[in-house]
Amino acid sequence: MIEKLQDRKLWIWILFSLVFVILGIRLAQLTIIQGEELSNKALDTRLKKVNQVAKRGEIFDRNGLLIAGNKTAYSVEFLYDQKFSQDQQEMTVELFKLLRNQGEEHIGLPIVQSDFGFTYETDAKKEQWLSENEFDLTMSAEEVFKAYKDREQISADVDNYSAQNTLILKGIYLPIRVRDMEFTYDFTRTSFLEYYEIEESATANEAFKALKDYYSIDESFTDEEAFYIIILRHAIREKGYRKYEPITIASNVSKETAVLIQEQSMRFPNVSIEISPVRYYPQSNLASHILGYMGKISSSESVKYNSDTGYQNDDLIGKIGIEGRYEDVLRGLNGEKWIEVNAYGRFVKEYDDSIDQRFVNTDPIAGKDIQLTIDMELQAAVRDYLIRALEGISTGGLYESDYGDYKYASGYDHADTGAVVVVDVRTGEVLSMVSYPDYDINLFSTGITQEDFLSLQPENKRNPLAPRPMYNIATLTAVQPGSTFKMITGFAALEAGLDPYQKYRDAGYIETLDGRTFGCWLWNKSRGTHGLVDLMTAIQVSCNYYFFDVANGYDYARDVDLPFEMNAEKVIEAARNFGLDEKSGVEIGERVKGVPDPEQKKKGLLRELRNKLNAIGGNYFPVEITADEVKLESVIDGIIALGEDNPEISRNGLISYLQTSAGIKDINTAANLADIVKYSYFNQMKWFEGDTFNLAIGQGGHEYTPVQMARYIAAVANDGYLYDLTLIKTVDGEPAIREPFEEIDTKGNIEYLKQGMRKVAEPGGSVYSIFKDFPLKIGAKTGTAEKEGKLPPESEEKYLLTYLNKLAPSIDEETLELETARELRERTDKIAYLYKVISETEDENIRMDAENELKGLTYSSYLNKGYAMRAALKSLAGDRLTDEMIDQYKSDYDNFTWFVSFAPYDNPEIAIAVLIPQGGSGGNGAPIVKDIYGTYFKVPPTKVDKQ
């Protein structure tokens, strides 16, 4: 026994037996007990998910014409699945040479090849920027930043972060990383070199050689060929652990290039042509404002559009218009494809989802199609007519038409924009909506370039009426309707008991108790009157005096009450009943200003007073208040509250209040400010008789958009049924859900309004000469709306210097420039202070106050040199110069053209609203409407020249 125990072979046998038993037990545990779990873990590691983009839903017009579709886009992609061999290097060279010969753009590096070797692309871009901004090419980022601070009057004491924010506020974006005071171009180059541990001082040629060594590229390749290899190797390296994802070498290549690569697929292993849908608008500019455009997901939008909702960071989404409003409908649902990768993350093969139900490949589901109510053939015609009219109006030229040419009486230089809306009065469907100028939506399909985006901006950004291609006048421009509003005043009076056949005398003008004069347009023009007129004739000849009478329920010519009660509130109620106080219903963004009323007037004046006090407070309030933002705001709030609660306060009472509550010790200073507050603001808050006069004829506080006006005229045409307007006919083949219409007229009063509109196109009417030979009976109304204020020049600074000698002969240009510099320094210091408060304060209320004040100053172009120069000029002149005096040499806005109509008169089908900002008289829109009727109703040409 002892001998056996001493036998070494026995012990070896026992040891091996124990090892095998342990291994067997462990193997059983792994395969039987934990087998499924470990297998799943291994599978989880090997499989990766790849998204498959869904086709975006298409958009059609009412007749089935495609207006937003998807065209095939080709991209060249490389799938890395093994070690980069000599064969793959040769393949890379051939592929990039093919792309070069085909003129295709492809991925690159911060290093570029030139005739003189290699250079840093970032250096070239930096030199170009420095040169364009008139800086020496040797200047450092710190020197450039300091120069900009000096140039923009930013105090040297302001920290760099606040200075940067101040520059951004002024629209200046410097390619400088303020934290390191380094050009972004240099940062990009340095980061690239650090990525490969190359010395920062290395030249581009030295960096290229280091990259060749890093990737062990054979010397048999030329520099150009080696460069191509490095480009692809760099792209692979940047993928990191996601090497299983395809690398896009070239995007949006031509079909010819794609076919060429596919035909030579044997030469290009691991290279594929990927086909993906890209948004395409075959009608280009036509209906651009309706359709909207696509764009990248912004940081604010990422809350809604993220991986949880099926979006990737670089996805394009609908931004505005139908594309934006129906993004969720058009988007569709992306699919998923699982692929198998090896331990290095390289693609091995596509995964068969029948093996494991946890990894199921899903096909993408296309988005839903949308059919619009728009008739694109009509849309194209309307656009053509509008452009022709604008050309004629702006030059005083000829509008040529198959239904009779029309010679515009005079030219209006600024008539370069306009909008037309055509509505089916039986359904509320929008048949055409044209806003001009427009833009090619295809520019946004794959991401718009900076150059193209800048080309869509207005030349004079200071002028709110300057042509803005991306701005939808039809839904966003709200202006006075002028005489086109008179049917509503008439309707309100009819509802109150007006006899439409009762005639009242036009006595020319009315003088109110406060000394203001309101005249009929004929009196203002030639001291003429319309004599006795009834409602229908008043609409025909657009008699202001008649509507002054009926709006106030008073016969001013005879100085007696009318036999029915009437007031401003009833006119306002009628306007609301016709939808002028709400959105029209169209499914894209629109602006609503609302119907004027006493409360709105009061709020508007108080807003103006607040702005005025902020602007002039330094001239009246003591320093201890103006130097403290919180105290100044508190004082101004107190004055505003006084206006809300007691606007009829006496002058002495207001002086006393300003001395006690605002700390103005000098009684004369307090009296001067009291006069401004009381007589220019508090006393104007009441609703005067003259306000009702303006209300009655569409002047004053009225502001409506073309879509609102088209909806209102459609309700007149169809005898009082107010439909919500719509641009959507069907979604995924199903009719769009519509809100029920509202019935306005239960007494048949609208019939009298229609009769008046018919008379506008008959003898004695303002557009009879245009429609007299037209075979279709129509209803119409012209409107000429006034625009207060002056046309802002492109440069306020240039304007002030040009007219300085006339505005203030005692002030020379050098003095004004010095005072402007001082004013700008104060303003920039204030902005910088607000930024500092926002970034450093821990008090949330203080931060919010600073942010709100900053927003207000931003909105008012606080840092604009022209505005600062204006303030400097007023300061130097001792406030003897008012804004009105300073602006006296600027051009006035021309009147706005409104023309509204419906046809056929006996059985209306469509209503039209035309707005031409600064287009002169209302009749200037009539030739457009006549051509629209001719096109829509297929009226045979009746060429008759109108001179």
Side-chain angles (χ1 to χ4, degrees):
M1 187 66 173
I2 293 174
E3 289 178 359
K4 288 183 178 182
L5 290 174
Q6 293 176 341
D7 188 348
R8 292 177 61 190
K9 292 181 179 181
L10 177 62
W11 282 109
I12 293 173
W13 181 85
I14 291 171
L15 181 61
F16 272 101
S17 296
L18 288 172
V19 170
F20 279 114
V21 169
I22 293 170
L23 288 174
I25 293 171
R26 181 58 179 157
L27 181 61
Q29 183 182 20
L30 292 174
T31 56
I32 299 173
I33 301 173
Q34 294 181 284
E36 184 176 356
E37 178 186 352
L38 295 174
S39 176
N40 289 340
K41 284 184 178 180
L43 194 58
D44 289 347
T45 304
R46 297 200 321 271
L47 297 185
K48 300 295 180 184
K49 181 173 67 176
V50 178
N51 280 332
Q52 293 184 293
V53 179
K55 172 190 169 187
R56 192 172 180 83
E58 296 181 323
I59 304 175
F60 301 86
D61 84 337
R62 67 184 300 110
N63 300 312
L65 178 70
L66 180 69
I67 53 179
N70 304 289
K71 68 177 182 178
T72 301
Y74 303 96
S75 60
V76 182
E77 298 193 348
F78 176 77
L79 198 56
Y80 181 54
D81 64 352
Q82 58 185 7
K83 185 177 180 180
F84 210 84
S85 64
Q86 180 72 12
D87 289 342
Q88 283 194 322
Q89 293 189 72
E90 293 173 356
M91 177 277 296
T92 300
V93 171
E94 291 183 26
L95 177 63
F96 275 82
K97 284 184 176 180
L98 185 151
L99 293 172
R100 179 199 63 192
N101 294 336
Q102 289 293 116
E104 306 287 1
E105 294 186 4
H106 54 71
I107 57 175
L109 295 172
I111 296 174
V112 293
Q113 192 174 19
S114 67
D115 295 337
F116 307 101
F118 291 91
T119 59
Y120 290 113
E121 184 181 35
T122 50
D123 287 353
K125 288 182 177 179
K126 183 177 76 171
E127 290 178 4
Q128 181 183 357
W129 185 87
L130 288 169
S131 177
E132 288 175 350
N133 289 275
E134 301 179 353
F135 287 112
D136 190 287
L137 300 185
T138 61
M139 290 183 71
S140 67
E142 187 171 5
E143 290 171 330
V144 169
F145 194 81
K146 183 180 182 302
Y148 255 101
K149 285 178 68 175
D150 293 341
R151 181 188 298 182
E152 299 301 323
Q153 304 294 332
I154 299 175
S155 171
D157 298 331
V158 174
D159 67 273
N160 289 339
Y161 288 107
S162 297
Q164 182 186 43
N165 286 327
T166 304
L167 290 171
I168 291 173
L169 190 61
K170 301 180 77 169
I172 300 171
Y173 299 86
L174 301 181
I176 294 175
R177 287 168 52 87
V178 173
R179 181 179 61 184
D180 309 313
M181 204 49 72
E182 179 181 22
F183 285 112
T184 54
Y185 308 111
D186 294 337
F187 177 77
T188 300
R189 184 196 66 219
T190 302
S191 299
F192 176 74
L193 295 175
E194 288 179 353
Y195 190 53
Y196 287 99
E197 298 181 354
I198 300 173
E199 288 291 332
E200 185 179 340
S201 60
T203 65
N205 285 316
E206 290 169 343
F208 170 71
K209 186 178 184 306
L211 290 170
K212 278 184 66 176
D213 294 341
Y214 182 88
Y215 286 115
S216 303
I217 297 176
D218 195 280
E219 290 297 329
S220 61
F221 291 107
T222 65
D223 283 352
E224 179 187 11
E225 293 169 342
F227 185 59
Y228 291 146
I229 296 169
I230 292 170
I231 289 174
L232 184 55
R233 296 293 297 273
H234 174 69
I236 294 170
R237 188 182 180 204
E238 282 197 313
K239 278 288 183 180
Y241 71 92
R242 302 175 68 88
K243 290 185 176 67
Y244 61 87
E245 291 183 339
I247 296 169
T248 301
I249 295 176
S251 301
N252 296 317
V253 300
S254 67
K255 184 177 181 180
E256 179 186 355
T257 300
V259 170
L260 195 60
I261 292 174
Q262 286 182 319
E263 288 176 346
Q264 304 178 52
S265 58
M266 296 298 293
R267 291 176 58 199
F268 303 121
N270 294 63
V271 175
S272 64
I273 298 297
E274 288 299 316
I275 300 175
S276 58
V278 171
R279 207 55 165 169
Y280 171 61
Y281 303 94
Q283 310 300 320
S284 186
N285 295 44
L286 205 55
S288 55
H289 297 102
I290 298 171
L291 295 172
Y293 57 83
M294 308 280 289
K296 292 184 178 179
I297 299 171
S298 66
S299 56
S300 61
E301 292 168 329
S302 62
V303 176
K304 180 179 180 181
Y305 302 114
N306 50 49
S307 57
D308 293 336
T309 54
Y311 288 84
Q312 304 297 317
N313 291 335
D314 57 352
D315 281 350
L316 296 179
I317 60 171
K319 290 286 187 175
I320 60 173
I322 298 298
E323 291 281 23
R325 171 67 174 77
Y326 288 91
E327 166 65 21
D328 296 341
V329 172
L330 294 165
R331 166 73 178 182
L333 187 63
N334 288 345
E336 296 176 350
K337 180 173 68 175
W338 293 90
I339 62 172
E340 191 171 342
V341 300
N342 62 18
Y344 299 99
R346 299 165 186 160
F347 173 80
V348 176
K349 64 179 180 179
E350 292 188 4
Y351 181 69
D352 182 358
D353 61 1
S354 63
I355 298 173
D356 191 322
Q357 293 303 307
R358 291 178 304 146
F359 306 98
V360 178
N361 296 328
T362 57
D363 294 326
I365 300 174
K368 296 176 181 178
D369 294 340
I370 292 176
Q371 183 181 27
L372 301 184
T373 60
I374 298 296
D375 182 332
M376 291 300 282
E377 184 177 346
L378 179 64
Q379 178 85 355
V382 172
R383 180 178 185 270
D384 176 54
Y385 304 149
L386 176 59
I387 292 173
R388 264 195 270 162
L390 293 175
E391 290 172 352
I393 295 170
S394 61
T395 61
L398 190 70
Y399 179 96
E400 296 184 0
S401 167
D402 290 339
Y403 306 101
D405 297 343
Y406 181 78
K407 176 67 169 65
Y408 289 105
S410 57
Y412 295 89
D413 295 344
H414 303 295
D416 44 18
T417 64
V420 181
V421 180
V422 183
V423 176
D424 188 327
V425 305
R426 301 160 298 184
T427 62
E429 293 181 348
V430 179
L431 304 177
S432 174
M433 180 193 292
V434 172
S435 178
Y436 186 83
D438 46 31
Y439 61 100
D440 183 358
I441 331 175
N442 289 301
L443 294 174
F444 292 84
S445 293
T446 57
I448 191 168
T449 65
Q450 181 72 5
E451 183 180 0
D452 285 335
F453 185 78
L454 290 175
S455 71
L456 298 178
Q457 306 310 305
E459 292 183 9
N460 182 1
K461 294 181 180 179
R462 301 182 64 243
N463 180 8
L465 297 181
R468 287 169 163 77
M470 296 174 64
Y471 187 83
N472 188 359
I473 296 171
T475 60
L476 299 177
T477 295
V479 297
Q480 295 173 339
S483 294
T484 59
F485 183 82
K486 288 174 179 174
M487 285 83 75
I488 288 180
T489 303
F491 180 79
L494 287 167
E495 293 286 290
L498 169 70
D499 177 357
Y501 298 105
Q502 178 64 50
K503 295 183 178 182
Y504 299 104
R505 185 166 65 88
D506 168 11
Y509 72 95
I510 300 168
E511 186 173 348
T512 61
L513 294 176
D514 59 353
R516 291 191 292 169
T517 299
F518 293 83
C520 188
W521 67 267
L522 189 56
W523 174 268
N524 295 336
K525 179 182 179 182
S526 60
R527 292 299 184 261
T529 69
H530 292 110
L532 291 170
V533 293
D534 59 17
L535 174 61
M536 287 70 73
T537 305
I539 293 174
Q540 178 189 31
V541 299
S542 203
C543 179
N544 291 353
Y545 200 101
Y546 178 90
F547 292 99
F548 294 158
D549 279 356
V550 301
N552 273 313
Y554 196 80
D555 185 340
Y556 287 91
R558 294 192 301 144
D559 199 20
V560 297
D561 289 328
L562 294 180
F564 57 90
E565 289 190 16
M566 189 63 186
N567 52 44
E569 285 72 19
K570 292 184 179 181
V571 178
I572 293 168
E573 181 183 2
R576 288 173 174 156
N577 288 337
F578 277 95
L580 295 182
D581 204 39
E582 62 189 18
K583 290 184 177 181
S584 69
V586 292
E587 292 80 3
I588 58 179
E590 59 176 310
R591 178 173 297 158
V592 175
K593 291 294 185 73
V595 179
D597 60 40
E599 189 60 30
Q600 183 192 66
K601 179 186 178 184
K602 181 177 179 179
K603 288 179 179 178
L605 283 167
L606 287 174
R607 281 196 302 271
E608 292 177 14
L609 175 57
R610 181 181 293 277
N611 293 334
K612 184 73 173 180
L613 291 172
N614 273 310
I616 67 173
N619 300 326
Y620 297 95
F621 301 130
V623 175
E624 59 266 23
I625 288 179
T626 56
D628 188 319
E629 299 288 341
V630 176
K631 288 183 179 179
L632 177 61
E633 186 175 359
S634 176
V635 167
I636 293 176
D637 284 345
I639 297 172
I640 299 300
L642 185 63
E644 290 176 338
D645 299 333
N646 186 22
E648 296 182 3
I649 185 173
S650 68
R651 180 176 183 270
N652 288 335
L654 185 54
I655 293 172
S656 176
Y657 174 86
L658 291 173
Q659 287 191 291
T660 55
S661 299
I664 305 176
K665 295 179 181 179
D666 181 66
I667 190 169
N668 291 325
T669 302
N672 289 336
L673 182 57
D675 288 344
I676 294 173
V677 173
K678 179 171 178 58
Y679 298 116
S680 297
Y681 296 94
F682 283 7
N683 283 5
Q684 303 304 317
M685 290 180 189
K686 293 184 293 184
W687 187 268
F688 297 98
E689 186 179 36
D691 292 320
T692 302
F693 290 161
N694 280 328
L695 177 72
I697 62 172
Q699 302 293 348
H702 292 280
E703 289 181 289
Y704 310 123
T705 62
V707 287
Q708 287 179 301
M709 294 296 289
R711 185 187 185 207
Y712 142 50
I713 297 302
V716 171
N718 66 25
D719 296 322
Y721 297 98
L722 186 69
Y723 291 99
D724 277 355
L725 300 190
T726 182
L727 291 163
I728 305 297
K729 197 163 187 68
T730 65
V731 176
D732 199 28
E734 296 294 324
I737 299 174
R738 301 285 304 282
E739 293 292 330
F741 60 80
E742 297 178 20
E743 187 173 2
I744 301 169
D745 184 17
T746 59
K747 302 176 183 178
N749 285 326
I750 283 180
E751 178 58 32
Y752 302 111
L753 308 181
K754 293 169 69 175
Q755 289 178 24
M757 293 181 70
R758 172 64 194 141
K759 289 168 72 72
V760 172
E762 291 182 335
S766 57
V767 294
Y768 169 66
S769 64
I770 298 174
F771 285 94
K772 71 175 183 178
D773 296 315
F774 196 62
L776 193 70
K777 289 179 65 177
I778 71 161
K781 187 72 188 80
T782 61
T784 305
E786 299 173 356
K787 167 70 174 173
E788 293 183 357
K790 299 281 188 174
L791 273 168
E794 191 168 346
S795 171
E796 181 78 3
E797 176 187 354
K798 184 177 179 181
Y799 166 80
L800 293 173
L801 293 176
T802 300
Y803 293 100
L804 178 60
N805 190 48
K806 293 182 178 180
L807 294 171
S810 62
I811 301 173
D812 60 74
E813 186 173 322
E814 183 180 0
T815 302
L816 179 59
E817 288 282 9
L818 288 172
E819 180 64 16
T820 301
R822 184 199 64 76
E823 178 71 24
L824 274 174
R825 278 194 298 273
E826 285 188 2
R827 293 183 175 209
T828 51
D829 286 348
K830 182 172 183 177
I831 293 293
Y833 167 76
L834 290 173
Y835 275 120
K836 186 174 182 180
V837 170
I838 292 169
S839 63
E840 295 181 0
T841 186
E842 296 181 359
D843 189 312
E844 187 62 26
N845 291 327
I846 294 177
R847 181 185 292 109
M848 288 180 63
D849 288 342
E851 288 177 348
N852 290 333
E853 184 175 1
L854 186 60
K855 287 178 183 177
L857 294 176
T858 303
Y859 182 76
S860 63
S861 301
Y862 188 65
L863 293 180
N864 179 276
K865 185 178 180 181
Y867 289 106
M869 183 174 283
R870 173 183 280 260
L873 179 60
K874 291 169 74 173
S875 176
L876 289 171
D879 287 326
R880 293 188 304 275
L881 278 175
T882 64
D883 287 329
E884 290 75 15
M885 293 169 65
I886 292 175
D887 291 336
Q888 64 181 296
Y889 299 106
K890 294 178 180 177
S891 300
D892 292 318
Y893 284 104
D894 290 323
N895 290 333
F896 285 28
T897 296
W898 274 108
F899 189 79
V900 296
S901 181
F902 66 87
Y905 176 77
D906 296 323
N907 187 21
E909 292 184 30
I910 62 174
I912 303 172
V914 176
L915 170 64
I916 301 177
Q918 302 194 85
S921 65
N924 285 346
I928 302 172
V929 172
K930 183 172 67 171
D931 271 357
I932 293 173
Y933 287 144
T935 298
Y936 183 84
F937 294 109
K938 296 180 172 54
V939 178
T942 57
K943 184 81 169 184
V944 177
D945 290 339
K946 300 287 180 291
Q947 298 296 334

